[in-house]
mmCIF file of all heavy atoms in Angstrom:
data_model
loop_
_atom_site.group_PDB
_atom_site.id
_atom_site.type_symbol
_atom_site.label_atom_id
_atom_site.label_comp_id
_atom_site.label_asym_id
_atom_site.label_seq_id
_atom_site.Cartn_x
_atom_site.Cartn_y
_atom_site.Cartn_z
ATOM 1 N N MET A 71 97.008 40.045 81.593
ATOM 2 C CA MET A 71 97.464 39.238 82.700
ATOM 3 C C MET A 71 96.241 38.745 83.482
ATOM 4 O O MET A 71 95.361 39.519 83.812
ATOM 5 C CB MET A 71 98.374 40.076 83.588
ATOM 6 C CG MET A 71 98.927 39.317 84.740
ATOM 7 S SD MET A 71 99.991 40.387 85.714
ATOM 8 C CE MET A 71 101.430 39.382 85.785
ATOM 9 N N GLU A 72 96.217 37.457 83.774
ATOM 10 C CA GLU A 72 95.098 36.878 84.506
ATOM 11 C C GLU A 72 95.309 36.992 86.008
ATOM 12 O O GLU A 72 96.410 36.867 86.500
ATOM 13 C CB GLU A 72 94.960 35.394 84.159
ATOM 14 C CG GLU A 72 94.373 35.135 82.815
ATOM 15 C CD GLU A 72 94.149 33.644 82.598
ATOM 16 O OE1 GLU A 72 93.864 32.947 83.578
ATOM 17 O OE2 GLU A 72 94.285 33.218 81.460
ATOM 18 N N THR A 73 94.214 37.243 86.704
ATOM 19 C CA THR A 73 94.272 37.215 88.156
ATOM 20 C C THR A 73 93.715 35.880 88.628
ATOM 21 O O THR A 73 92.711 35.401 88.119
ATOM 22 C CB THR A 73 93.461 38.357 88.772
ATOM 23 O OG1 THR A 73 92.109 38.255 88.326
ATOM 24 C CG2 THR A 73 94.032 39.710 88.379
ATOM 25 N N GLN A 74 94.385 35.302 89.570
ATOM 26 C CA GLN A 74 94.009 33.991 90.051
ATOM 27 C C GLN A 74 93.297 34.129 91.392
ATOM 28 O O GLN A 74 93.798 34.784 92.309
ATOM 29 C CB GLN A 74 95.248 33.117 90.219
ATOM 30 C CG GLN A 74 94.950 31.704 90.576
ATOM 31 C CD GLN A 74 96.229 30.884 90.665
ATOM 32 O OE1 GLN A 74 97.320 31.440 90.736
ATOM 33 N NE2 GLN A 74 96.081 29.588 90.666
ATOM 34 N N LYS A 75 92.101 33.545 91.501
ATOM 35 C CA LYS A 75 91.359 33.590 92.748
ATOM 36 C C LYS A 75 91.917 32.546 93.703
ATOM 37 O O LYS A 75 92.016 31.384 93.363
ATOM 38 C CB LYS A 75 89.881 33.313 92.490
ATOM 39 C CG LYS A 75 89.025 33.464 93.721
ATOM 40 C CD LYS A 75 87.573 33.345 93.346
ATOM 41 C CE LYS A 75 86.599 33.405 94.463
ATOM 42 N NZ LYS A 75 86.895 33.573 95.747
ATOM 43 N N LYS A 76 92.278 32.992 94.887
ATOM 44 C CA LYS A 76 92.859 32.095 95.873
ATOM 45 C C LYS A 76 91.773 31.597 96.819
ATOM 46 O O LYS A 76 90.849 32.320 97.168
ATOM 47 C CB LYS A 76 93.942 32.815 96.668
ATOM 48 C CG LYS A 76 95.121 33.235 95.824
ATOM 49 C CD LYS A 76 96.147 33.936 96.658
ATOM 50 C CE LYS A 76 97.307 34.393 95.796
ATOM 51 N NZ LYS A 76 98.291 35.132 96.560
ATOM 52 N N ASN A 77 91.895 30.359 97.231
ATOM 53 C CA ASN A 77 90.955 29.784 98.168
ATOM 54 C C ASN A 77 91.354 30.197 99.582
ATOM 55 O O ASN A 77 92.388 29.797 100.089
ATOM 56 C CB ASN A 77 90.934 28.262 98.040
ATOM 57 C CG ASN A 77 89.834 27.637 98.846
ATOM 58 O OD1 ASN A 77 89.038 28.325 99.465
ATOM 59 N ND2 ASN A 77 89.798 26.332 98.847
ATOM 60 N N THR A 78 90.522 30.990 100.213
ATOM 61 C CA THR A 78 90.842 31.510 101.542
ATOM 62 C C THR A 78 89.945 30.930 102.633
ATOM 63 O O THR A 78 89.929 31.437 103.748
ATOM 64 C CB THR A 78 90.721 33.047 101.550
ATOM 65 O OG1 THR A 78 89.386 33.403 101.178
ATOM 66 C CG2 THR A 78 91.708 33.689 100.600
ATOM 67 N N ALA A 79 89.218 29.873 102.322
ATOM 68 C CA ALA A 79 88.277 29.299 103.289
ATOM 69 C C ALA A 79 88.983 28.814 104.548
ATOM 70 O O ALA A 79 88.480 29.004 105.667
ATOM 71 C CB ALA A 79 87.499 28.164 102.651
ATOM 72 N N MET A 80 90.143 28.202 104.395
ATOM 73 C CA MET A 80 90.859 27.699 105.568
ATOM 74 C C MET A 80 91.329 28.848 106.458
ATOM 75 O O MET A 80 91.306 28.734 107.687
ATOM 76 C CB MET A 80 92.044 26.840 105.123
ATOM 77 C CG MET A 80 92.712 26.145 106.263
ATOM 78 S SD MET A 80 91.545 25.127 107.125
ATOM 79 C CE MET A 80 92.528 23.770 107.573
ATOM 80 N N TRP A 81 91.734 29.953 105.841
ATOM 81 C CA TRP A 81 92.168 31.106 106.629
ATOM 82 C C TRP A 81 90.993 31.744 107.364
ATOM 83 O O TRP A 81 91.152 32.215 108.496
ATOM 84 C CB TRP A 81 92.879 32.134 105.755
ATOM 85 C CG TRP A 81 94.234 31.671 105.349
ATOM 86 C CD1 TRP A 81 94.648 31.311 104.101
ATOM 87 C CD2 TRP A 81 95.365 31.477 106.205
ATOM 88 N NE1 TRP A 81 95.957 30.916 104.131
ATOM 89 C CE2 TRP A 81 96.425 31.014 105.411
ATOM 90 C CE3 TRP A 81 95.584 31.649 107.562
ATOM 91 C CZ2 TRP A 81 97.680 30.727 105.934
ATOM 92 C CZ3 TRP A 81 96.830 31.363 108.086
ATOM 93 C CH2 TRP A 81 97.859 30.903 107.276
ATOM 94 N N TRP A 82 89.811 31.767 106.725
ATOM 95 C CA TRP A 82 88.628 32.296 107.404
ATOM 96 C C TRP A 82 88.253 31.407 108.584
ATOM 97 O O TRP A 82 87.906 31.893 109.671
ATOM 98 C CB TRP A 82 87.446 32.427 106.457
ATOM 99 C CG TRP A 82 87.522 33.658 105.622
ATOM 100 C CD1 TRP A 82 87.693 33.732 104.273
ATOM 101 C CD2 TRP A 82 87.441 35.021 106.074
ATOM 102 N NE1 TRP A 82 87.730 35.041 103.868
ATOM 103 C CE2 TRP A 82 87.580 35.848 104.947
ATOM 104 C CE3 TRP A 82 87.289 35.606 107.320
ATOM 105 C CZ2 TRP A 82 87.544 37.243 105.038
ATOM 106 C CZ3 TRP A 82 87.259 36.994 107.414
ATOM 107 C CH2 TRP A 82 87.381 37.790 106.281
ATOM 108 N N LEU A 83 88.331 30.104 108.407
ATOM 109 C CA LEU A 83 88.038 29.183 109.499
ATOM 110 C C LEU A 83 89.017 29.388 110.655
ATOM 111 O O LEU A 83 88.614 29.447 111.824
ATOM 112 C CB LEU A 83 88.104 27.741 108.996
ATOM 113 C CG LEU A 83 87.837 26.666 110.038
ATOM 114 C CD1 LEU A 83 86.407 26.761 110.542
ATOM 115 C CD2 LEU A 83 88.115 25.307 109.448
ATOM 116 N N THR A 84 90.290 29.541 110.326
ATOM 117 C CA THR A 84 91.305 29.796 111.353
ATOM 118 C C THR A 84 91.027 31.099 112.083
ATOM 119 O O THR A 84 91.173 31.184 113.306
ATOM 120 C CB THR A 84 92.710 29.834 110.723
ATOM 121 O OG1 THR A 84 92.929 28.646 109.985
ATOM 122 C CG2 THR A 84 93.787 29.994 111.771
ATOM 123 N N PHE A 85 90.610 32.124 111.341
ATOM 124 C CA PHE A 85 90.302 33.412 111.957
ATOM 125 C C PHE A 85 89.151 33.290 112.942
ATOM 126 O O PHE A 85 89.226 33.780 114.075
ATOM 127 C CB PHE A 85 89.973 34.448 110.875
ATOM 128 C CG PHE A 85 89.399 35.721 111.425
ATOM 129 C CD1 PHE A 85 90.190 36.595 112.152
ATOM 130 C CD2 PHE A 85 88.071 36.053 111.210
ATOM 131 C CE1 PHE A 85 89.657 37.768 112.669
ATOM 132 C CE2 PHE A 85 87.535 37.213 111.710
ATOM 133 C CZ PHE A 85 88.333 38.085 112.444
ATOM 134 N N PHE A 86 88.062 32.637 112.539
ATOM 135 C CA PHE A 86 86.898 32.541 113.418
ATOM 136 C C PHE A 86 87.179 31.671 114.643
ATOM 137 O O PHE A 86 86.744 32.001 115.754
ATOM 138 C CB PHE A 86 85.687 32.025 112.643
ATOM 139 C CG PHE A 86 85.136 33.042 111.679
ATOM 140 C CD1 PHE A 86 84.990 32.727 110.342
ATOM 141 C CD2 PHE A 86 84.789 34.308 112.095
ATOM 142 C CE1 PHE A 86 84.489 33.653 109.448
ATOM 143 C CE2 PHE A 86 84.290 35.257 111.209
ATOM 144 C CZ PHE A 86 84.140 34.925 109.884
ATOM 145 N N VAL A 87 87.931 30.599 114.466
ATOM 146 C CA VAL A 87 88.268 29.744 115.602
ATOM 147 C C VAL A 87 89.187 30.478 116.575
ATOM 148 O O VAL A 87 88.987 30.429 117.798
ATOM 149 C CB VAL A 87 88.902 28.425 115.121
ATOM 150 C CG1 VAL A 87 89.508 27.646 116.267
ATOM 151 C CG2 VAL A 87 87.874 27.590 114.387
ATOM 152 N N SER A 88 90.179 31.177 116.054
ATOM 153 C CA SER A 88 91.098 31.890 116.943
ATOM 154 C C SER A 88 90.416 33.086 117.611
ATOM 155 O O SER A 88 90.733 33.417 118.755
ATOM 156 C CB SER A 88 92.350 32.337 116.184
ATOM 157 O OG SER A 88 92.019 33.192 115.118
ATOM 158 N N THR A 89 89.467 33.712 116.930
ATOM 159 C CA THR A 89 88.708 34.799 117.552
ATOM 160 C C THR A 89 87.838 34.261 118.679
ATOM 161 O O THR A 89 87.750 34.885 119.752
ATOM 162 C CB THR A 89 87.843 35.525 116.510
ATOM 163 O OG1 THR A 89 88.693 36.048 115.489
ATOM 164 C CG2 THR A 89 87.072 36.664 117.136
ATOM 165 N N ALA A 90 87.212 33.114 118.461
ATOM 166 C CA ALA A 90 86.416 32.490 119.520
ATOM 167 C C ALA A 90 87.306 32.112 120.703
ATOM 168 O O ALA A 90 86.916 32.286 121.868
ATOM 169 C CB ALA A 90 85.695 31.270 118.975
ATOM 170 N N ALA A 91 88.495 31.613 120.414
ATOM 171 C CA ALA A 91 89.430 31.257 121.489
ATOM 172 C C ALA A 91 89.863 32.504 122.257
ATOM 173 O O ALA A 91 90.003 32.477 123.484
ATOM 174 C CB ALA A 91 90.640 30.537 120.914
ATOM 175 N N LEU A 92 90.071 33.608 121.549
ATOM 176 C CA LEU A 92 90.458 34.855 122.211
ATOM 177 C C LEU A 92 89.340 35.364 123.109
ATOM 178 O O LEU A 92 89.586 35.788 124.250
ATOM 179 C CB LEU A 92 90.824 35.922 121.171
ATOM 180 C CG LEU A 92 91.240 37.285 121.716
ATOM 181 C CD1 LEU A 92 92.504 37.159 122.553
ATOM 182 C CD2 LEU A 92 91.435 38.270 120.587
ATOM 183 N N LEU A 93 88.112 35.321 122.623
ATOM 184 C CA LEU A 93 86.979 35.764 123.444
ATOM 185 C C LEU A 93 86.802 34.864 124.664
ATOM 186 O O LEU A 93 86.505 35.356 125.765
ATOM 187 C CB LEU A 93 85.708 35.804 122.605
ATOM 188 C CG LEU A 93 85.686 36.857 121.495
ATOM 189 C CD1 LEU A 93 84.429 36.718 120.654
ATOM 190 C CD2 LEU A 93 85.817 38.246 122.069
ATOM 191 N N ALA A 94 86.994 33.575 124.489
ATOM 192 C CA ALA A 94 86.915 32.655 125.621
ATOM 193 C C ALA A 94 88.032 32.934 126.626
ATOM 194 O O ALA A 94 87.809 32.887 127.846
ATOM 195 C CB ALA A 94 86.988 31.215 125.137
ATOM 196 N N ALA A 95 89.213 33.231 126.138
ATOM 197 C CA ALA A 95 90.339 33.529 127.028
ATOM 198 C C ALA A 95 90.089 34.816 127.811
ATOM 199 O O ALA A 95 90.448 34.908 128.985
ATOM 200 C CB ALA A 95 91.624 33.641 126.214
ATOM 201 N N ILE A 96 89.455 35.794 127.173
ATOM 202 C CA ILE A 96 89.124 37.034 127.879
ATOM 203 C C ILE A 96 88.076 36.756 128.948
ATOM 204 O O ILE A 96 88.185 37.219 130.086
ATOM 205 C CB ILE A 96 88.638 38.104 126.882
ATOM 206 C CG1 ILE A 96 89.795 38.568 125.997
ATOM 207 C CG2 ILE A 96 88.031 39.295 127.616
ATOM 208 C CD1 ILE A 96 89.375 39.442 124.835
ATOM 209 N N TYR A 97 87.058 35.995 128.588
ATOM 210 C CA TYR A 97 85.977 35.696 129.522
ATOM 211 C C TYR A 97 86.465 34.865 130.708
ATOM 212 O O TYR A 97 86.051 35.092 131.849
ATOM 213 C CB TYR A 97 84.842 34.962 128.792
ATOM 214 C CG TYR A 97 83.701 34.590 129.684
ATOM 215 C CD1 TYR A 97 82.802 35.555 130.133
ATOM 216 C CD2 TYR A 97 83.525 33.273 130.092
ATOM 217 C CE1 TYR A 97 81.762 35.217 130.965
ATOM 218 C CE2 TYR A 97 82.479 32.920 130.924
ATOM 219 C CZ TYR A 97 81.595 33.899 131.360
ATOM 220 O OH TYR A 97 80.564 33.557 132.187
ATOM 221 N N LEU A 98 87.337 33.910 130.451
ATOM 222 C CA LEU A 98 87.821 33.021 131.500
ATOM 223 C C LEU A 98 89.033 33.578 132.252
ATOM 224 O O LEU A 98 89.588 32.894 133.115
ATOM 225 C CB LEU A 98 88.159 31.652 130.901
ATOM 226 C CG LEU A 98 86.981 30.912 130.285
ATOM 227 C CD1 LEU A 98 87.455 29.664 129.564
ATOM 228 C CD2 LEU A 98 85.949 30.569 131.349
ATOM 229 N N HIS A 99 89.476 34.787 131.886
ATOM 230 C CA HIS A 99 90.627 35.446 132.517
ATOM 231 C C HIS A 99 91.896 34.597 132.403
ATOM 232 O O HIS A 99 92.648 34.440 133.367
ATOM 233 C CB HIS A 99 90.340 35.769 133.983
ATOM 234 C CG HIS A 99 89.148 36.632 134.171
ATOM 235 N ND1 HIS A 99 89.152 37.958 133.837
ATOM 236 C CD2 HIS A 99 87.902 36.354 134.622
ATOM 237 C CE1 HIS A 99 87.961 38.470 134.093
ATOM 238 N NE2 HIS A 99 87.176 37.502 134.565
ATOM 239 N N TRP A 100 92.129 34.039 131.215
ATOM 240 C CA TRP A 100 93.320 33.237 130.982
ATOM 241 C C TRP A 100 94.514 34.165 130.863
ATOM 242 O O TRP A 100 94.498 35.150 130.114
ATOM 243 C CB TRP A 100 93.136 32.399 129.714
ATOM 244 C CG TRP A 100 94.176 31.369 129.504
ATOM 245 C CD1 TRP A 100 94.675 30.529 130.426
ATOM 246 C CD2 TRP A 100 94.849 31.067 128.279
ATOM 247 N NE1 TRP A 100 95.617 29.701 129.862
ATOM 248 C CE2 TRP A 100 95.750 30.012 128.541
ATOM 249 C CE3 TRP A 100 94.774 31.568 126.993
ATOM 250 C CZ2 TRP A 100 96.562 29.479 127.568
ATOM 251 C CZ3 TRP A 100 95.583 31.020 126.032
ATOM 252 C CH2 TRP A 100 96.470 29.991 126.318
ATOM 253 N N GLU A 101 95.570 33.883 131.592
ATOM 254 C CA GLU A 101 96.699 34.797 131.661
ATOM 255 C C GLU A 101 97.550 34.844 130.394
ATOM 256 O O GLU A 101 98.317 35.782 130.200
ATOM 257 C CB GLU A 101 97.581 34.451 132.861
ATOM 258 C CG GLU A 101 98.091 33.037 132.827
ATOM 259 C CD GLU A 101 98.379 32.475 134.206
ATOM 260 O OE1 GLU A 101 97.759 32.955 135.156
ATOM 261 O OE2 GLU A 101 99.212 31.583 134.301
ATOM 262 N N TYR A 102 97.423 33.844 129.512
ATOM 263 C CA TYR A 102 98.217 33.826 128.285
ATOM 264 C C TYR A 102 97.388 34.193 127.052
ATOM 265 O O TYR A 102 97.679 33.763 125.950
ATOM 266 C CB TYR A 102 98.835 32.445 128.078
ATOM 267 C CG TYR A 102 99.776 32.046 129.191
ATOM 268 C CD1 TYR A 102 99.456 31.008 130.052
ATOM 269 C CD2 TYR A 102 100.973 32.724 129.380
ATOM 270 C CE1 TYR A 102 100.304 30.648 131.072
ATOM 271 C CE2 TYR A 102 101.826 32.370 130.397
ATOM 272 C CZ TYR A 102 101.494 31.328 131.245
ATOM 273 O OH TYR A 102 102.342 30.977 132.243
ATOM 274 N N LEU A 103 96.378 35.013 127.241
ATOM 275 C CA LEU A 103 95.512 35.326 126.110
ATOM 276 C C LEU A 103 96.228 36.112 125.014
ATOM 277 O O LEU A 103 95.821 36.055 123.854
ATOM 278 C CB LEU A 103 94.255 36.074 126.552
ATOM 279 C CG LEU A 103 94.383 37.482 127.129
ATOM 280 C CD1 LEU A 103 94.179 38.521 126.059
ATOM 281 C CD2 LEU A 103 93.378 37.663 128.222
ATOM 282 N N THR A 104 97.291 36.792 125.338
ATOM 283 C CA THR A 104 98.016 37.544 124.315
ATOM 284 C C THR A 104 98.738 36.637 123.325
ATOM 285 O O THR A 104 99.149 37.097 122.264
ATOM 286 C CB THR A 104 99.046 38.499 124.954
ATOM 287 O OG1 THR A 104 99.901 37.767 125.811
ATOM 288 C CG2 THR A 104 98.338 39.579 125.748
ATOM 289 N N MET A 105 98.856 35.361 123.646
ATOM 290 C CA MET A 105 99.480 34.427 122.713
ATOM 291 C C MET A 105 98.546 34.091 121.547
ATOM 292 O O MET A 105 98.989 33.563 120.535
ATOM 293 C CB MET A 105 99.893 33.148 123.444
ATOM 294 C CG MET A 105 100.960 33.396 124.499
ATOM 295 S SD MET A 105 101.384 31.929 125.414
ATOM 296 C CE MET A 105 102.296 31.051 124.172
ATOM 297 N N ILE A 106 97.265 34.391 121.688
ATOM 298 C CA ILE A 106 96.285 34.090 120.645
ATOM 299 C C ILE A 106 96.207 35.224 119.619
ATOM 300 O O ILE A 106 95.876 34.999 118.456
ATOM 301 C CB ILE A 106 94.906 33.838 121.282
ATOM 302 C CG1 ILE A 106 94.993 32.701 122.282
ATOM 303 C CG2 ILE A 106 93.857 33.532 120.233
ATOM 304 C CD1 ILE A 106 93.739 32.501 123.118
ATOM 305 N N ILE A 107 96.548 36.429 120.026
ATOM 306 C CA ILE A 107 96.394 37.607 119.162
ATOM 307 C C ILE A 107 97.148 37.489 117.834
ATOM 308 O O ILE A 107 96.600 37.852 116.794
ATOM 309 C CB ILE A 107 96.781 38.888 119.933
ATOM 310 C CG1 ILE A 107 95.771 39.101 121.064
ATOM 311 C CG2 ILE A 107 96.814 40.101 119.019
ATOM 312 C CD1 ILE A 107 96.118 40.225 122.005
ATOM 313 N N PRO A 108 98.387 36.975 117.786
ATOM 314 C CA PRO A 108 99.046 36.832 116.480
ATOM 315 C C PRO A 108 98.293 35.913 115.512
ATOM 316 O O PRO A 108 98.273 36.166 114.306
ATOM 317 C CB PRO A 108 100.412 36.250 116.821
ATOM 318 C CG PRO A 108 100.649 36.646 118.222
ATOM 319 C CD PRO A 108 99.312 36.665 118.880
ATOM 320 N N PHE A 109 97.645 34.878 116.040
ATOM 321 C CA PHE A 109 96.858 33.993 115.184
ATOM 322 C C PHE A 109 95.648 34.721 114.613
ATOM 323 O O PHE A 109 95.301 34.547 113.443
ATOM 324 C CB PHE A 109 96.408 32.750 115.953
ATOM 325 C CG PHE A 109 97.537 31.831 116.287
ATOM 326 C CD1 PHE A 109 98.112 31.852 117.546
ATOM 327 C CD2 PHE A 109 98.027 30.953 115.341
ATOM 328 C CE1 PHE A 109 99.155 31.007 117.859
ATOM 329 C CE2 PHE A 109 99.072 30.099 115.644
ATOM 330 C CZ PHE A 109 99.639 30.133 116.902
ATOM 331 N N VAL A 110 95.009 35.539 115.425
ATOM 332 C CA VAL A 110 93.843 36.306 114.960
ATOM 333 C C VAL A 110 94.264 37.271 113.864
ATOM 334 O O VAL A 110 93.647 37.321 112.795
ATOM 335 C CB VAL A 110 93.178 37.062 116.134
ATOM 336 C CG1 VAL A 110 92.071 37.966 115.639
ATOM 337 C CG2 VAL A 110 92.647 36.091 117.171
ATOM 338 N N CYS A 111 95.314 38.028 114.102
ATOM 339 C CA CYS A 111 95.751 39.047 113.138
ATOM 340 C C CYS A 111 96.274 38.427 111.842
ATOM 341 O O CYS A 111 95.892 38.858 110.752
ATOM 342 C CB CYS A 111 96.828 39.923 113.769
ATOM 343 S SG CYS A 111 96.241 40.875 115.167
ATOM 344 N N THR A 112 97.115 37.424 111.963
ATOM 345 C CA THR A 112 97.695 36.805 110.771
ATOM 346 C C THR A 112 96.636 36.121 109.923
ATOM 347 O O THR A 112 96.619 36.269 108.693
ATOM 348 C CB THR A 112 98.774 35.793 111.163
ATOM 349 O OG1 THR A 112 99.759 36.458 111.947
ATOM 350 C CG2 THR A 112 99.414 35.187 109.937
ATOM 351 N N SER A 113 95.739 35.387 110.559
ATOM 352 C CA SER A 113 94.709 34.693 109.784
ATOM 353 C C SER A 113 93.745 35.675 109.126
ATOM 354 O O SER A 113 93.279 35.420 108.017
ATOM 355 C CB SER A 113 93.954 33.692 110.656
ATOM 356 O OG SER A 113 93.312 34.349 111.724
ATOM 357 N N PHE A 114 93.464 36.800 109.762
ATOM 358 C CA PHE A 114 92.597 37.805 109.133
ATOM 359 C C PHE A 114 93.259 38.408 107.897
ATOM 360 O O PHE A 114 92.629 38.560 106.851
ATOM 361 C CB PHE A 114 92.229 38.909 110.127
ATOM 362 C CG PHE A 114 91.344 39.967 109.530
ATOM 363 C CD1 PHE A 114 90.022 39.682 109.268
ATOM 364 C CD2 PHE A 114 91.833 41.221 109.226
ATOM 365 C CE1 PHE A 114 89.194 40.653 108.709
ATOM 366 C CE2 PHE A 114 91.024 42.182 108.681
ATOM 367 C CZ PHE A 114 89.700 41.894 108.421
ATOM 368 N N VAL A 115 94.527 38.737 108.028
ATOM 369 C CA VAL A 115 95.246 39.330 106.888
ATOM 370 C C VAL A 115 95.344 38.333 105.727
ATOM 371 O O VAL A 115 95.132 38.694 104.565
ATOM 372 C CB VAL A 115 96.651 39.811 107.339
ATOM 373 C CG1 VAL A 115 97.501 40.167 106.147
ATOM 374 C CG2 VAL A 115 96.521 40.992 108.265
ATOM 375 N N LYS A 116 95.613 37.074 106.028
ATOM 376 C CA LYS A 116 95.693 36.071 104.978
ATOM 377 C C LYS A 116 94.312 35.793 104.361
ATOM 378 O O LYS A 116 94.208 35.554 103.159
ATOM 379 C CB LYS A 116 96.292 34.771 105.531
ATOM 380 C CG LYS A 116 97.744 34.893 105.941
ATOM 381 C CD LYS A 116 98.646 35.065 104.762
ATOM 382 C CE LYS A 116 99.003 33.728 104.195
ATOM 383 N NZ LYS A 116 99.963 33.805 103.098
ATOM 384 N N ALA A 117 93.265 35.833 105.171
ATOM 385 C CA ALA A 117 91.907 35.600 104.645
ATOM 386 C C ALA A 117 91.465 36.741 103.738
ATOM 387 O O ALA A 117 90.785 36.516 102.735
ATOM 388 C CB ALA A 117 90.925 35.449 105.809
ATOM 389 N N MET A 118 91.875 37.954 104.060
ATOM 390 C CA MET A 118 91.539 39.096 103.209
ATOM 391 C C MET A 118 92.460 39.190 102.002
ATOM 392 O O MET A 118 92.268 40.048 101.151
ATOM 393 C CB MET A 118 91.634 40.398 104.021
ATOM 394 C CG MET A 118 90.594 40.522 105.110
ATOM 395 S SD MET A 118 88.946 40.674 104.458
ATOM 396 C CE MET A 118 89.028 42.280 103.740
ATOM 397 N N ASP A 119 93.459 38.328 101.937
ATOM 398 C CA ASP A 119 94.435 38.266 100.843
ATOM 399 C C ASP A 119 95.198 39.575 100.696
ATOM 400 O O ASP A 119 95.415 40.067 99.592
ATOM 401 C CB ASP A 119 93.745 37.873 99.535
ATOM 402 C CG ASP A 119 94.717 37.346 98.505
ATOM 403 O OD1 ASP A 119 95.791 36.854 98.907
ATOM 404 O OD2 ASP A 119 94.429 37.441 97.313
ATOM 405 N N ILE A 120 95.599 40.118 101.826
ATOM 406 C CA ILE A 120 96.377 41.359 101.820
ATOM 407 C C ILE A 120 97.848 41.071 101.564
ATOM 408 O O ILE A 120 98.514 41.832 100.870
ATOM 409 C CB ILE A 120 96.170 42.115 103.160
ATOM 410 C CG1 ILE A 120 94.696 42.540 103.271
ATOM 411 C CG2 ILE A 120 97.094 43.313 103.272
ATOM 412 C CD1 ILE A 120 94.331 43.146 104.595
ATOM 413 N N ILE A 121 98.356 39.975 102.111
ATOM 414 C CA ILE A 121 99.743 39.599 101.841
ATOM 415 C C ILE A 121 99.786 38.267 101.149
ATOM 416 O O ILE A 121 98.887 37.499 101.143
ATOM 417 C CB ILE A 121 100.605 39.550 103.101
ATOM 418 C CG1 ILE A 121 100.072 38.535 104.122
ATOM 419 C CG2 ILE A 121 100.749 40.896 103.719
ATOM 420 C CD1 ILE A 121 101.000 38.277 105.266
#
């Protein structure tokens, strides 16, 4: 059975952008910073190809 390599570059880009947005939200004391956390977690899991 062959294993197929998946392109995860877009998920890595999403992870780094959302992580930067989360750090900016923490620094700027943005009250809705918890809305960014699902993007960070989901994009990391997809980039690591866990699901």
